[in-house]
């Protein structure tokens, strides 16, 4: 039997990769503001590509929604890895949780169609939960090991609290309120004595002047 010749797998062209990324970025913005009913034509216009190019990458609305969702989850995972090296433990945890507010805003904007995509793929739901739990878990473990965050809370607790804060707000500008609540929440997780670092402030000028003025008088009084 003659050996079969296997054709090498071709990598996507650079312009095709760029177009796909532009579509995903545009879709995130369009779906976050316009919701599930936002048109794919609007996404194509914002990305600066033809509708045919969009459909070549994403043949259905659900396929595009799923790709946007996966991209957001992957970026949050990458952000956690970066923050582990670039930020103090509590700051890293806080910044990662704050970045999730933008992710939830995107998810809320496309919740209807995304629900269909997730229902059709239990793997997607499992993948996102595992990826996000692992990401926040690594940051949480680091903060606990540093003695900055209490140890009786788990990564699932953090994610549930975050989702709860995001989904109980539906009014315009809800992200600002959630970010404020998130800061309060993180401060509440701090180990007692770590929430505020006491800083020794220099004496006020008036106090310093009074002490300086009083010192010679006391010296003269002893003579």
């Amino acid at each position: 039997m003659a050996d079969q010749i296997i054709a090498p797998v071709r990598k996507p062209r650079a312009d095709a990769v760029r177009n796909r990324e532009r579509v995903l970025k545009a879709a995130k913005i369009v779906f976050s503001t316009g919701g599930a009913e936002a048109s794919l034509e609007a996404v194509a216009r914002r990305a600066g590509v033809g509708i045919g190019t969009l459909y070549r990458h994403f043949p259905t609305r659900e396929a595009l929604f799923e790709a946007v969702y996966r991209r957001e989850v992957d970026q949050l995972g990458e952000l956690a890895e970066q923050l582990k090296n670039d930020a103090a433990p509590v700051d890293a945890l806080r910044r990662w949780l704050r970045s999730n507010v933008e992710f939830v805003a995107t998810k809320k904007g496309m919740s209807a169609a995304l629900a269909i995509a997730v229902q059709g793929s239990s793997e997607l739901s499992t993948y996102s939960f595992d990826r996000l739990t692992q990401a926040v878990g690594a940051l949480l473990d680091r903060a606990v090991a540093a003695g900055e965050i209490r140890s009786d809370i788990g990564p699932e607790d953090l994610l549930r609290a975050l989702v709860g804060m995001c989904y109980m707000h539906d009014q315009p500008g809800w992200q600002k309120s959630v970010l404020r609540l998130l800061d309060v929440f993180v401060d509440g997780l701090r180990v007692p004595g770590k929430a505020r670092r006491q800083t020794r402030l220099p004496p006020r000028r008036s106090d310093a002047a009074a002490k300086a003025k009083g010192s010679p008088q006391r010296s003269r009084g002893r003579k």
Side-chain angles (χ1 to χ4, degrees), residues 19-69:
N19 284 340
R20 187 179 190 279
E21 184 64 17
R22 288 164 65 182
V23 169
L24 289 174
K25 289 181 179 179
K28 174 184 175 180
I29 297 172
V30 171
F31 290 138
S32 295
T33 57
E37 299 306 317
S39 68
L40 298 185
E41 287 78 8
V43 174
R45 285 196 301 270
R46 187 172 190 94
V49 301
I51 190 64
T53 298
L54 186 150
Y55 277 116
R56 276 196 298 273
H57 290 286
F58 310 103
T60 65
R61 180 187 297 269
E62 288 72 29
L64 177 56
F65 276 43
E66 180 176 344
V68 172
Y69 184 77

Side-chain angles (χ1 to χ4, degrees), residues 9-21:
V9 177
R10 280 189 169 185
K11 292 183 178 180
R13 296 185 315 179
D15 59 341
V17 174
R18 285 194 300 268
N19 284 340
R20 187 179 190 279
E21 184 64 17

Side-chain angles (χ1 to χ4, degrees), residues 96-97 129-130 132-138 140-141 152-164 185:
W96 190 87
L97 291 171
F129 179 79
D130 290 346
L132 295 178
T133 302
Q134 181 181 5
V136 71
L140 179 61
D141 288 345
D152 59 345
I153 188 168
E156 295 88 353
D157 299 323
L158 288 180
L159 292 178
R160 290 191 192 100
L162 175 65
V163 170
F185 175 68

Side-chain angles (χ1 to χ4, degrees), residues 94 97-98 101 158 161-170 173-189:
R94 189 191 307 270
L97 291 171
R98 289 174 68 90
V101 176
L158 288 180
L162 175 65
V163 170
M165 283 186 277
C166 290
Y167 278 90
M168 74 182 202
H169 291 77
D170 287 321
W174 64 269
Q175 292 97 326
K176 185 176 180 180
S177 296
V178 171
L179 290 175
R180 184 177 66 253
L181 289 174
L182 190 56
D183 283 336
V184 174
F185 175 68
V186 173
D187 288 340
L189 297 176

Side-chain angles (χ1 to χ4, degrees), residues 67-85:
V68 172
Y69 184 77
R70 282 184 180 274
R71 178 177 178 271
E72 293 294 295
V73 170
D74 288 339
Q75 288 183 339
L76 285 171
E78 293 165 4
L79 176 62
E81 290 297 321
Q82 175 186 336
L83 290 173
K84 283 195 300 184
N85 301 318

